Amino acid sequence: MSAADVMSKADLFRALHHGRLPGDPLVLPGPWDAAAARVFEEAGFPALATPSAGVAASLGYADGRTPAGEMFAAVARIVRAVDVPVSADVEGGYGLAPRELVERLLETGAVGCNLEDSVDGVLRDPHEQADRLAGVREAAGGRLFVNARVDTFAHGDGDPSDAIARAAAYVAAGADCVYPIGAPPTVLPLLRAGIAGPLNAGGRVDGEGPSPAVLGGLGATRVTFGPGFQRFAAAALRAVGAELL
């Protein structure tokens, strides 16, 4: 893939996040391998977002334990299998310097990335994380859409004001979107009011949570599902296997 192809897909992916109406968020399913990616593309989704936990499961690793090389290789296979833009969840960045992280992401053909602001369940200092995001933005230019995960609700005290403050620092550092993972749907309007730019919310595929349309109405610009689809598929396989036995 040429640099021009990557840039055009990055621009397309970025454009998908803007001008969206309430109740019409960008829905990004999470393929864990190339076959799943093709299924989602054939279903009509305009872009995809890989889940690190789902990819880890497909490779036989626990969440957060996938070697960097294997994660990048898996992302590259997914990107190669489809024509739509693909964003990659690369956890905390695997300890790579921003420039090397960007280079390795671009080598996969990904046009976006998800970066966490916690390590082993402990929140990073928001100023240090903002500096890291600024380094990624500088190295990537416009070639990567940076989704900055805010882990206040997952690994902090769940204070919305802290999530908003972290989000503001990350947006100022150049993040294209922020993702307060684990934020209760009821808090989304408050987060939306306090956060500039696109806002990512987590959706569910088991019907237990609000639909993407409802999440969009509450303020979400886009909805991702983490490893939800991979776990749903695994449950279906277990059920089929049990019937066969």
PDB file of all heavy atoms in Angstrom, residues 114-147:
ATOM      1  N   ASN A 114      -5.803   2.947  18.909  1.00  0.00           N
ATOM      2  CA  ASN A 114      -6.387   3.152  20.227  1.00  0.00           C
ATOM      3  C   ASN A 114      -5.261   2.999  21.240  1.00  0.00           C
ATOM      4  O   ASN A 114      -4.554   1.991  21.235  1.00  0.00           O
ATOM      5  CB  ASN A 114      -7.470   2.090  20.464  1.00  0.00           C
ATOM      6  CG  ASN A 114      -8.259   2.323  21.727  1.00  0.00           C
ATOM      7  OD1 ASN A 114      -9.083   3.216  21.785  1.00  0.00           O
ATOM      8  ND2 ASN A 114      -8.029   1.502  22.741  1.00  0.00           N
ATOM      9  N   LEU A 115      -5.063   4.017  22.095  1.00  0.00           N
ATOM     10  CA  LEU A 115      -3.984   3.976  23.073  1.00  0.00           C
ATOM     11  C   LEU A 115      -4.544   4.187  24.475  1.00  0.00           C
ATOM     12  O   LEU A 115      -5.249   5.159  24.739  1.00  0.00           O
ATOM     13  CB  LEU A 115      -2.937   5.052  22.768  1.00  0.00           C
ATOM     14  CG  LEU A 115      -2.002   4.754  21.587  1.00  0.00           C
ATOM     15  CD1 LEU A 115      -1.217   6.000  21.209  1.00  0.00           C
ATOM     16  CD2 LEU A 115      -1.048   3.620  21.943  1.00  0.00           C
ATOM     17  N   GLU A 116      -4.217   3.277  25.385  1.00  0.00           N
ATOM     18  CA  GLU A 116      -4.723   3.312  26.753  1.00  0.00           C
ATOM     19  C   GLU A 116      -3.901   4.256  27.628  1.00  0.00           C
ATOM     20  O   GLU A 116      -2.708   4.464  27.384  1.00  0.00           O
ATOM     21  CB  GLU A 116      -4.664   1.902  27.351  1.00  0.00           C
ATOM     22  CG  GLU A 116      -5.420   0.866  26.546  1.00  0.00           C
ATOM     23  CD  GLU A 116      -5.140  -0.563  27.012  1.00  0.00           C
ATOM     24  OE1 GLU A 116      -4.396  -0.725  28.007  1.00  0.00           O
ATOM     25  OE2 GLU A 116      -5.673  -1.495  26.383  1.00  0.00           O
ATOM     26  N   ASP A 117      -4.551   4.787  28.689  1.00  0.00           N
ATOM     27  CA  ASP A 117      -3.798   5.626  29.627  1.00  0.00           C
ATOM     28  C   ASP A 117      -3.668   4.945  30.996  1.00  0.00           C
ATOM     29  O   ASP A 117      -3.654   5.599  32.038  1.00  0.00           O
ATOM     30  CB  ASP A 117      -4.399   7.028  29.746  1.00  0.00           C
ATOM     31  CG  ASP A 117      -5.723   7.072  30.495  1.00  0.00           C
ATOM     32  OD1 ASP A 117      -6.358   6.013  30.648  1.00  0.00           O
ATOM     33  OD2 ASP A 117      -6.132   8.182  30.909  1.00  0.00           O
ATOM     34  N   SER A 118      -3.542   3.611  30.951  1.00  0.00           N
ATOM     35  CA  SER A 118      -3.248   2.870  32.173  1.00  0.00           C
ATOM     36  C   SER A 118      -2.280   1.745  31.837  1.00  0.00           C
ATOM     37  O   SER A 118      -2.184   1.317  30.684  1.00  0.00           O
ATOM     38  CB  SER A 118      -4.526   2.296  32.797  1.00  0.00           C
ATOM     39  OG  SER A 118      -5.117   1.331  31.946  1.00  0.00           O
ATOM     40  N   VAL A 119      -1.575   1.274  32.852  1.00  0.00           N
ATOM     41  CA  VAL A 119      -0.642   0.153  32.708  1.00  0.00           C
ATOM     42  C   VAL A 119      -0.906  -0.835  33.831  1.00  0.00           C
ATOM     43  O   VAL A 119      -0.846  -0.467  35.016  1.00  0.00           O
ATOM     44  CB  VAL A 119       0.831   0.626  32.771  1.00  0.00           C
ATOM     45  CG1 VAL A 119       1.761  -0.567  32.638  1.00  0.00           C
ATOM     46  CG2 VAL A 119       1.116   1.645  31.685  1.00  0.00           C
ATOM     47  N   ASP A 120      -1.255  -2.081  33.468  1.00  0.00           N
ATOM     48  CA  ASP A 120      -1.543  -3.114  34.459  1.00  0.00           C
ATOM     49  C   ASP A 120      -2.556  -2.641  35.491  1.00  0.00           C
ATOM     50  O   ASP A 120      -2.421  -2.880  36.700  1.00  0.00           O
ATOM     51  CB  ASP A 120      -0.253  -3.566  35.145  1.00  0.00           C
ATOM     52  CG  ASP A 120       0.700  -4.273  34.189  1.00  0.00           C
ATOM     53  OD1 ASP A 120       0.210  -4.927  33.248  1.00  0.00           O
ATOM     54  OD2 ASP A 120       1.927  -4.160  34.385  1.00  0.00           O
ATOM     55  N   GLY A 121      -3.571  -1.920  35.003  1.00  0.00           N
ATOM     56  CA  GLY A 121      -4.648  -1.486  35.879  1.00  0.00           C
ATOM     57  C   GLY A 121      -4.377  -0.235  36.680  1.00  0.00           C
ATOM     58  O   GLY A 121      -5.196   0.152  37.520  1.00  0.00           O
ATOM     59  N   VAL A 122      -3.258   0.427  36.426  1.00  0.00           N
ATOM     60  CA  VAL A 122      -2.906   1.655  37.145  1.00  0.00           C
ATOM     61  C   VAL A 122      -2.900   2.819  36.164  1.00  0.00           C
ATOM     62  O   VAL A 122      -2.248   2.749  35.113  1.00  0.00           O
ATOM     63  CB  VAL A 122      -1.522   1.526  37.832  1.00  0.00           C
ATOM     64  CG1 VAL A 122      -1.159   2.823  38.537  1.00  0.00           C
ATOM     65  CG2 VAL A 122      -1.518   0.361  38.799  1.00  0.00           C
ATOM     66  N   LEU A 123      -3.602   3.888  36.503  1.00  0.00           N
ATOM     67  CA  LEU A 123      -3.671   5.041  35.617  1.00  0.00           C
ATOM     68  C   LEU A 123      -2.310   5.711  35.463  1.00  0.00           C
ATOM     69  O   LEU A 123      -1.566   5.881  36.431  1.00  0.00           O
ATOM     70  CB  LEU A 123      -4.666   6.068  36.159  1.00  0.00           C
ATOM     71  CG  LEU A 123      -6.148   5.697  36.093  1.00  0.00           C
ATOM     72  CD1 LEU A 123      -6.977   6.702  36.879  1.00  0.00           C
ATOM     73  CD2 LEU A 123      -6.616   5.655  34.639  1.00  0.00           C
ATOM     74  N   ARG A 124      -2.005   6.101  34.229  1.00  0.00           N
ATOM     75  CA  ARG A 124      -0.799   6.879  33.976  1.00  0.00           C
ATOM     76  C   ARG A 124      -1.014   8.321  34.446  1.00  0.00           C
ATOM     77  O   ARG A 124      -2.149   8.803  34.536  1.00  0.00           O
ATOM     78  CB  ARG A 124      -0.492   6.924  32.473  1.00  0.00           C
ATOM     79  CG  ARG A 124      -0.027   5.627  31.850  1.00  0.00           C
ATOM     80  CD  ARG A 124       0.218   5.864  30.374  1.00  0.00           C
ATOM     81  NE  ARG A 124       0.639   4.688  29.661  1.00  0.00           N
ATOM     82  CZ  ARG A 124       1.903   4.311  29.476  1.00  0.00           C
ATOM     83  NH1 ARG A 124       2.883   5.046  29.979  1.00  0.00           N
ATOM     84  NH2 ARG A 124       2.193   3.221  28.808  1.00  0.00           N
ATOM     85  N   ASP A 125       0.080   9.010  34.689  1.00  0.00           N
ATOM     86  CA  ASP A 125      -0.009  10.446  34.913  1.00  0.00           C
ATOM     87  C   ASP A 125      -0.556  11.097  33.644  1.00  0.00           C
ATOM     88  O   ASP A 125      -0.021  10.858  32.551  1.00  0.00           O
ATOM     89  CB  ASP A 125       1.368  11.023  35.246  1.00  0.00           C
ATOM     90  CG  ASP A 125       1.329  12.515  35.434  1.00  0.00           C
ATOM     91  OD1 ASP A 125       1.062  12.965  36.554  1.00  0.00           O
ATOM     92  OD2 ASP A 125       1.542  13.231  34.430  1.00  0.00           O
ATOM     93  N   PRO A 126      -1.624  11.893  33.729  1.00  0.00           N
ATOM     94  CA  PRO A 126      -2.241  12.431  32.508  1.00  0.00           C
ATOM     95  C   PRO A 126      -1.319  13.344  31.711  1.00  0.00           C
ATOM     96  O   PRO A 126      -1.432  13.414  30.475  1.00  0.00           O
ATOM     97  CB  PRO A 126      -3.466  13.180  33.030  1.00  0.00           C
ATOM     98  CG  PRO A 126      -3.174  13.455  34.464  1.00  0.00           C
ATOM     99  CD  PRO A 126      -2.353  12.305  34.947  1.00  0.00           C
ATOM    100  N   HIS A 127      -0.416  14.044  32.393  1.00  0.00           N
ATOM    101  CA  HIS A 127       0.503  14.928  31.669  1.00  0.00           C
ATOM    102  C   HIS A 127       1.524  14.115  30.879  1.00  0.00           C
ATOM    103  O   HIS A 127       1.844  14.457  29.720  1.00  0.00           O
ATOM    104  CB  HIS A 127       1.199  15.872  32.653  1.00  0.00           C
ATOM    105  CG  HIS A 127       0.262  16.702  33.475  1.00  0.00           C
ATOM    106  ND1 HIS A 127      -0.528  17.688  32.913  1.00  0.00           N
ATOM    107  CD2 HIS A 127      -0.041  16.655  34.794  1.00  0.00           C
ATOM    108  CE1 HIS A 127      -1.272  18.242  33.864  1.00  0.00           C
ATOM    109  NE2 HIS A 127      -1.001  17.634  35.007  1.00  0.00           N
ATOM    110  N   GLU A 128       2.010  13.035  31.472  1.00  0.00           N
ATOM    111  CA  GLU A 128       2.943  12.162  30.750  1.00  0.00           C
ATOM    112  C   GLU A 128       2.242  11.498  29.567  1.00  0.00           C
ATOM    113  O   GLU A 128       2.818  11.367  28.479  1.00  0.00           O
ATOM    114  CB  GLU A 128       3.505  11.101  31.696  1.00  0.00           C
ATOM    115  CG  GLU A 128       4.405  11.658  32.788  1.00  0.00           C
ATOM    116  CD  GLU A 128       4.912  10.578  33.725  1.00  0.00           C
ATOM    117  OE1 GLU A 128       4.539   9.393  33.531  1.00  0.00           O
ATOM    118  OE2 GLU A 128       5.676  10.910  34.660  1.00  0.00           O
ATOM    119  N   GLN A 129       0.985  11.082  29.777  1.00  0.00           N
ATOM    120  CA  GLN A 129       0.238  10.472  28.679  1.00  0.00           C
ATOM    121  C   GLN A 129      -0.026  11.486  27.573  1.00  0.00           C
ATOM    122  O   GLN A 129       0.055  11.144  26.379  1.00  0.00           O
ATOM    123  CB  GLN A 129      -1.080   9.895  29.196  1.00  0.00           C
ATOM    124  CG  GLN A 129      -1.946   9.240  28.138  1.00  0.00           C
ATOM    125  CD  GLN A 129      -1.370   7.938  27.593  1.00  0.00           C
ATOM    126  OE1 GLN A 129      -0.274   7.532  28.006  1.00  0.00           O
ATOM    127  NE2 GLN A 129      -2.083   7.278  26.704  1.00  0.00           N
ATOM    128  N   ALA A 130      -0.325  12.709  27.944  1.00  0.00           N
ATOM    129  CA  ALA A 130      -0.553  13.755  26.935  1.00  0.00           C
ATOM    130  C   ALA A 130       0.718  13.983  26.119  1.00  0.00           C
ATOM    131  O   ALA A 130       0.659  14.150  24.893  1.00  0.00           O
ATOM    132  CB  ALA A 130      -1.003  15.043  27.614  1.00  0.00           C
ATOM    133  N   ASP A 131       1.866  13.978  26.793  1.00  0.00           N
ATOM    134  CA  ASP A 131       3.133  14.159  26.068  1.00  0.00           C
ATOM    135  C   ASP A 131       3.353  13.002  25.097  1.00  0.00           C
ATOM    136  O   ASP A 131       3.832  13.205  23.972  1.00  0.00           O
ATOM    137  CB  ASP A 131       4.300  14.224  27.053  1.00  0.00           C
ATOM    138  CG  ASP A 131       4.340  15.538  27.832  1.00  0.00           C
ATOM    139  OD1 ASP A 131       3.668  16.503  27.404  1.00  0.00           O
ATOM    140  OD2 ASP A 131       5.027  15.581  28.874  1.00  0.00           O
ATOM    141  N   ARG A 132       3.006  11.805  25.530  1.00  0.00           N
ATOM    142  CA  ARG A 132       3.169  10.633  24.659  1.00  0.00           C
ATOM    143  C   ARG A 132       2.245  10.745  23.446  1.00  0.00           C
ATOM    144  O   ARG A 132       2.654  10.473  22.315  1.00  0.00           O
ATOM    145  CB  ARG A 132       2.885   9.359  25.440  1.00  0.00           C
ATOM    146  CG  ARG A 132       3.011   8.082  24.635  1.00  0.00           C
ATOM    147  CD  ARG A 132       3.035   6.866  25.535  1.00  0.00           C
ATOM    148  NE  ARG A 132       3.004   5.620  24.787  1.00  0.00           N
ATOM    149  CZ  ARG A 132       4.038   5.105  24.144  1.00  0.00           C
ATOM    150  NH1 ARG A 132       5.195   5.741  24.137  1.00  0.00           N
ATOM    151  NH2 ARG A 132       3.931   3.960  23.483  1.00  0.00           N
ATOM    152  N   LEU A 133       1.021  11.147  23.678  1.00  0.00           N
ATOM    153  CA  LEU A 133       0.084  11.309  22.566  1.00  0.00           C
ATOM    154  C   LEU A 133       0.551  12.399  21.610  1.00  0.00           C
ATOM    155  O   LEU A 133       0.407  12.269  20.389  1.00  0.00           O
ATOM    156  CB  LEU A 133      -1.312  11.646  23.110  1.00  0.00           C
ATOM    157  CG  LEU A 133      -2.026  10.509  23.846  1.00  0.00           C
ATOM    158  CD1 LEU A 133      -3.244  11.048  24.585  1.00  0.00           C
ATOM    159  CD2 LEU A 133      -2.436   9.410  22.873  1.00  0.00           C
ATOM    160  N   ALA A 134       1.113  13.472  22.152  1.00  0.00           N
ATOM    161  CA  ALA A 134       1.637  14.536  21.305  1.00  0.00           C
ATOM    162  C   ALA A 134       2.770  14.008  20.430  1.00  0.00           C
ATOM    163  O   ALA A 134       2.895  14.389  19.253  1.00  0.00           O
ATOM    164  CB  ALA A 134       2.127  15.699  22.166  1.00  0.00           C
ATOM    165  N   GLY A 135       3.600  13.127  20.995  1.00  0.00           N
ATOM    166  CA  GLY A 135       4.684  12.530  20.210  1.00  0.00           C
ATOM    167  C   GLY A 135       4.154  11.659  19.095  1.00  0.00           C
ATOM    168  O   GLY A 135       4.684  11.661  17.973  1.00  0.00           O
ATOM    169  N   VAL A 136       3.106  10.901  19.378  1.00  0.00           N
ATOM    170  CA  VAL A 136       2.491  10.065  18.349  1.00  0.00           C
ATOM    171  C   VAL A 136       1.889  10.934  17.258  1.00  0.00           C
ATOM    172  O   VAL A 136       2.056  10.675  16.060  1.00  0.00           O
ATOM    173  CB  VAL A 136       1.415   9.149  18.972  1.00  0.00           C
ATOM    174  CG1 VAL A 136       0.606   8.443  17.884  1.00  0.00           C
ATOM    175  CG2 VAL A 136       2.060   8.126  19.901  1.00  0.00           C
ATOM    176  N   ARG A 137       1.196  11.990  17.657  1.00  0.00           N
ATOM    177  CA  ARG A 137       0.594  12.894  16.674  1.00  0.00           C
ATOM    178  C   ARG A 137       1.661  13.547  15.805  1.00  0.00           C
ATOM    179  O   ARG A 137       1.506  13.633  14.575  1.00  0.00           O
ATOM    180  CB  ARG A 137      -0.225  13.960  17.403  1.00  0.00           C
ATOM    181  CG  ARG A 137      -0.622  15.155  16.551  1.00  0.00           C
ATOM    182  CD  ARG A 137      -1.391  14.771  15.314  1.00  0.00           C
ATOM    183  NE  ARG A 137      -2.662  14.201  15.651  1.00  0.00           N
ATOM    184  CZ  ARG A 137      -3.295  13.300  14.907  1.00  0.00           C
ATOM    185  NH1 ARG A 137      -2.722  12.830  13.804  1.00  0.00           N
ATOM    186  NH2 ARG A 137      -4.466  12.849  15.252  1.00  0.00           N
ATOM    187  N   GLU A 138       2.748  13.975  16.406  1.00  0.00           N
ATOM    188  CA  GLU A 138       3.816  14.615  15.638  1.00  0.00           C
ATOM    189  C   GLU A 138       4.425  13.634  14.636  1.00  0.00           C
ATOM    190  O   GLU A 138       4.666  13.980  13.477  1.00  0.00           O
ATOM    191  CB  GLU A 138       4.894  15.146  16.571  1.00  0.00           C
ATOM    192  CG  GLU A 138       6.036  15.851  15.837  1.00  0.00           C
ATOM    193  CD  GLU A 138       7.109  16.361  16.783  1.00  0.00           C
ATOM    194  OE1 GLU A 138       7.032  16.076  17.997  1.00  0.00           O
ATOM    195  OE2 GLU A 138       8.035  17.050  16.298  1.00  0.00           O
ATOM    196  N   ALA A 139       4.657  12.415  15.085  1.00  0.00           N
ATOM    197  CA  ALA A 139       5.269  11.420  14.203  1.00  0.00           C
ATOM    198  C   ALA A 139       4.320  10.992  13.087  1.00  0.00           C
ATOM    199  O   ALA A 139       4.753  10.724  11.963  1.00  0.00           O
ATOM    200  CB  ALA A 139       5.697  10.198  15.017  1.00  0.00           C
ATOM    201  N   ALA A 140       3.031  10.939  13.394  1.00  0.00           N
ATOM    202  CA  ALA A 140       2.058  10.451  12.410  1.00  0.00           C
ATOM    203  C   ALA A 140       1.562  11.528  11.466  1.00  0.00           C
ATOM    204  O   ALA A 140       1.130  11.231  10.349  1.00  0.00           O
ATOM    205  CB  ALA A 140       0.864   9.833  13.141  1.00  0.00           C
ATOM    206  N   GLY A 141       1.607  12.787  11.911  1.00  0.00           N
ATOM    207  CA  GLY A 141       0.976  13.821  11.093  1.00  0.00           C
ATOM    208  C   GLY A 141      -0.504  13.501  10.968  1.00  0.00           C
ATOM    209  O   GLY A 141      -1.171  13.168  11.939  1.00  0.00           O
ATOM    210  N   GLY A 142      -1.008  13.551   9.749  1.00  0.00           N
ATOM    211  CA  GLY A 142      -2.413  13.205   9.532  1.00  0.00           C
ATOM    212  C   GLY A 142      -2.627  11.771   9.127  1.00  0.00           C
ATOM    213  O   GLY A 142      -3.732  11.393   8.744  1.00  0.00           O
ATOM    214  N   ARG A 143      -1.589  10.936   9.248  1.00  0.00           N
ATOM    215  CA  ARG A 143      -1.688   9.578   8.721  1.00  0.00           C
ATOM    216  C   ARG A 143      -2.374   8.595   9.665  1.00  0.00           C
ATOM    217  O   ARG A 143      -2.725   7.499   9.247  1.00  0.00           O
ATOM    218  CB  ARG A 143      -0.279   9.062   8.374  1.00  0.00           C
ATOM    219  CG  ARG A 143       0.390   9.851   7.260  1.00  0.00           C
ATOM    220  CD  ARG A 143       1.812   9.365   7.027  1.00  0.00           C
ATOM    221  NE  ARG A 143       2.671   9.657   8.184  1.00  0.00           N
ATOM    222  CZ  ARG A 143       3.936   9.246   8.290  1.00  0.00           C
ATOM    223  NH1 ARG A 143       4.462   8.488   7.331  1.00  0.00           N
ATOM    224  NH2 ARG A 143       4.653   9.567   9.362  1.00  0.00           N
ATOM    225  N   LEU A 144      -2.558   8.976  10.933  1.00  0.00           N
ATOM    226  CA  LEU A 144      -3.230   8.105  11.893  1.00  0.00           C
ATOM    227  C   LEU A 144      -4.279   8.886  12.675  1.00  0.00           C
ATOM    228  O   LEU A 144      -4.019  10.006  13.138  1.00  0.00           O
ATOM    229  CB  LEU A 144      -2.231   7.505  12.885  1.00  0.00           C
ATOM    230  CG  LEU A 144      -1.298   6.407  12.408  1.00  0.00           C
ATOM    231  CD1 LEU A 144      -0.310   6.053  13.519  1.00  0.00           C
ATOM    232  CD2 LEU A 144      -2.069   5.165  11.976  1.00  0.00           C
ATOM    233  N   PHE A 145      -5.443   8.293  12.833  1.00  0.00           N
ATOM    234  CA  PHE A 145      -6.497   8.834  13.673  1.00  0.00           C
ATOM    235  C   PHE A 145      -6.265   8.274  15.083  1.00  0.00           C
ATOM    236  O   PHE A 145      -6.317   7.066  15.291  1.00  0.00           O
ATOM    237  CB  PHE A 145      -7.864   8.392  13.138  1.00  0.00           C
ATOM    238  CG  PHE A 145      -9.042   8.947  13.884  1.00  0.00           C
ATOM    239  CD1 PHE A 145      -9.707  10.064  13.410  1.00  0.00           C
ATOM    240  CD2 PHE A 145      -9.498   8.338  15.041  1.00  0.00           C
ATOM    241  CE1 PHE A 145     -10.813  10.577  14.092  1.00  0.00           C
ATOM    242  CE2 PHE A 145     -10.594   8.825  15.724  1.00  0.00           C
ATOM    243  CZ  PHE A 145     -11.258   9.960  15.251  1.00  0.00           C
ATOM    244  N   VAL A 146      -5.989   9.155  16.029  1.00  0.00           N
ATOM    245  CA  VAL A 146      -5.600   8.723  17.367  1.00  0.00           C
ATOM    246  C   VAL A 146      -6.800   8.774  18.311  1.00  0.00           C
ATOM    247  O   VAL A 146      -7.360   9.845  18.569  1.00  0.00           O
ATOM    248  CB  VAL A 146      -4.464   9.600  17.924  1.00  0.00           C
ATOM    249  CG1 VAL A 146      -4.085   9.154  19.334  1.00  0.00           C
ATOM    250  CG2 VAL A 146      -3.239   9.538  17.002  1.00  0.00           C
ATOM    251  N   ASN A 147      -7.194   7.606  18.802  1.00  0.00           N
ATOM    252  CA  ASN A 147      -8.270   7.485  19.782  1.00  0.00           C
ATOM    253  C   ASN A 147      -7.623   7.274  21.149  1.00  0.00           C
ATOM    254  O   ASN A 147      -7.012   6.236  21.399  1.00  0.00           O
ATOM    255  CB  ASN A 147      -9.174   6.297  19.426  1.00  0.00           C
ATOM    256  CG  ASN A 147     -10.390   6.203  20.323  1.00  0.00           C
ATOM    257  OD1 ASN A 147     -10.986   7.206  20.688  1.00  0.00           O
ATOM    258  ND2 ASN A 147     -10.779   4.984  20.664  1.00  0.00           N
TER     259      ASN A 147
END
